[in-house]
């Protein structure tokens, strides 16, 4: 078994080309337009909510994140990505699971609360969120990509996961935060492997 | 000159003139397309087929599907036969079906796909799905992908063959994996085909499996002929050997593919590509002469020295 595993390369785990993935993203972006604007407005609304420490705002943040994870899971992964990547059905499951966690732990349980953090934690958390929500597109354009090829926070898995990790850095410590981090971190690993395999 | 001599002379002159005009105006001899015999049936199969891993997995995108249809068109224009796919390759089967229906299912098509699941009932569903996606009822070849669930799937496939629903039954491995298990199957099962990895830098199959295939009358399909593209990437900037034309090779794909299909046990190779120009190069390996064993040794030494 170990002997067989060693014969696998990362590229063997990625069953599609960069060309196919880019075309898929372009079709997806075209089909969901102007949902990208809604997602950007949602991201903008999260910032003041995260900076408040009251329970109602925290529940609202969890609710909005639950919606984004549910959308990415059911629409991007299940409906689109699975047409060229059969594991995407399992990725959809991961994203729906995260949405349910935010619902149960954050909205219903009220276990996700935000508090004032040290300067570096604030910088890292907010920086990660603002980059994934608002700088993803300009950075991609600078690197020569077309806007139609870029997935945004709330629409695509990677910026959504990164942005979520950033927001959770601003949350109170506790089991809820750890549990919510796990799917996001797992996706980031999958995305890294996929990018490497496509290169 | 006597009368008889003159008549004879004129006759010879006339015949010579006729011969010369035939030589001047006849169409140039086309190079013969290389085929090899499928041992279990005696049918001939073109030695260069095509694979579809990654290259044909383009989903619903119309522009990309049409581009892949162009690749298929080039394949069939050069007398292509075997197209190999699998449910593991996501939308590749659907894209093949799209292209084949646009091209009206060329007569030279040799359809080959796989069952890829450990579940027997799921296997039956996959077989029906493949028939629907390709748009064909009777496949030429069904293979058990990576030997997964072979115990049940081979029973299903042999039954289908008995009923005339399938022509050939095979199994596949790749990357040199599970050769021991493959050897056992080759000895104990009435397989028509095996598919395994064989190329210039991975010749592990020569140790036992290729000889066994010949002994047992099993056709061999060589996958990963370019080692997943790495061989071409490594060699494309390097010069071909000066004697490449002696073995009928004008470029690296031809060189690498002719090495593979010149092994007596190999029936065909299945390079995959998404580009028409590359398909043309690949199909060039299916023409002309094949290197003999001393030329093959020279080819291996040359590449090793680069």
């Amino acid at each position: 078994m170990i002997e067989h595993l060693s014969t696998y390369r990362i590229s063997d785990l990625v069953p599609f080309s960069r060309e196919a993935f880019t075309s898929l993203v372009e079709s997806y972006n075209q089909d969901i337009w102007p949902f990208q604007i809604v997602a950007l407005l949602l991201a903008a609304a999260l910032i003041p909510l995260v900076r408040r420490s009251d329970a109602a705002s925290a529940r609202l943040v969890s609710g909005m994140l639950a919606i984004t994870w549910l959308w990415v899971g059911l629409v991007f992964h299940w409906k689109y990505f699975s047409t060229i990547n059969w594991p995407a059905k399992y990725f959809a499951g991961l994203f729906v699971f995260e949405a349910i966690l935010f619902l149960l732990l954050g909205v219903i349980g009220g276990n996700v609360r935000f508090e004032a953090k040290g300067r570096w934690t604030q910088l890292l958390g907010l920086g990660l969120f603002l980059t994934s929500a608002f700088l993803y597109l300009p950075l991609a354009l600078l690197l020569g990509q077309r806007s139609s090829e870029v997935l945004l926070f709330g629409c695509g898995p990677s910026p959504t996961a990164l942005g979520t990790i950033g927001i959770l850095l601003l949350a109170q410590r506790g089991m809820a935060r750890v549990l919510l981090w796990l799917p996001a971190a797992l996706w980031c690993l999958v995305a890294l492997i996929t990018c490497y395999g496509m290169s | 000159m006597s009368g008889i001599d003159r008549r004879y002379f004129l006759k010879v002159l006339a015949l010579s003139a006729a011969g010369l005009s035939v030589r001047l105006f006849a169409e140039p001899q086309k190079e013969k397309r290389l085929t090899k015999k499928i041992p279990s049936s005696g049918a001939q199969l073109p030695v260069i087929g095509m694979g579809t891993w990654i290259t044909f997995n383009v989903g619903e995108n119309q522009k990309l599907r049409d581009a892949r249809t162009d690749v298929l068109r080039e394949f069939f224009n050069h007398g292509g036969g075997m197209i190999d796919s699998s449910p593991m390759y996501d939308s590749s089967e659907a894209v093949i079906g799209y292209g084949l229906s646009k091209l009206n299912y060329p007569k030279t098509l040799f359809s080959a796909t796989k069952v890829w699941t450990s579940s027997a009932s799921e296997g039956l569903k996959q077989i029906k799905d493949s028939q629907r996606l390709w748009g064909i009822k009777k496949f030429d070849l069904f293979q058990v992908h990576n030997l997964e669930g072979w115990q049940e799937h081979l029973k299903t496939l042999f039954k289908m063959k008995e009923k005339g629903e399938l022509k050939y039954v095979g199994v596949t491995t790749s990357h040199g994996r599970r050769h021991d298990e493959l050897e056992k199957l080759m000895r104990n099962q009435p397989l028509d085909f095996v598919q395994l990895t064989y190329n210039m830098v991975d010749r592990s199959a020569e140790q036992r499996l290729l000889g066994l295939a010949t002994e047992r009358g099993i056709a061999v399909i060589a996958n990963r002929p370019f080692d997943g593209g790495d061989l071409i990437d490594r060699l494309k900037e390097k010069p071909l050997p000066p004697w490449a034309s002696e073995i009928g090779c004008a470029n690296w794909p031809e060189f690498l593919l002719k090495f593979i299909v010149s092994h007596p046990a190999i029936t065909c190779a299945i390079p995959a590509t998404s580009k028409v120009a590359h398909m043309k190069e690949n199909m060039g390996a299916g023409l002309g002469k094949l290197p003999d064993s001393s030329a093959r040794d020279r080819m291996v030494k040359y590449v090793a020295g680069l």
Side-chain angles (χ1 to χ4, degrees), chain A residues 9-21:
Chain A
R9 287 186 273 199
I10 300 239
S11 55
D12 295 333
L13 305 174
V14 182
F16 52 88
S17 62
R18 184 176 291 278
E19 181 192 30
F21 182 71

Side-chain angles (χ1 to χ4, degrees), chain A residues 3-4 7-9 11-17 19-20 23-24 27 82-87, chain B residues 53-54 57-61 64 68 88 90-91 116 146 175-178 224 227-228 230 274:
Chain A
E3 170 207 317
H4 294 149
T7 62
Y8 282 92
R9 287 186 273 199
S11 55
D12 295 333
L13 305 174
V14 182
F16 52 88
S17 62
E19 181 192 30
S23 300
L24 180 102
S27 298
S82 66
T83 62
I84 61 168
N85 190 19
W86 59 266
Chain B
W53 163 246
I54 295 179
N57 181 19
V58 297
E60 306 287 329
N61 188 287
L64 293 182
R68 296 309 177 268
M88 192 184 102
D90 287 289
S91 64
W116 176 62
N146 289 342
H175 298 76
R177 295 174 199 139
R178 303 177 81 170
R224 298 179 63 80
D227 194 26
D230 286 355
S274 57

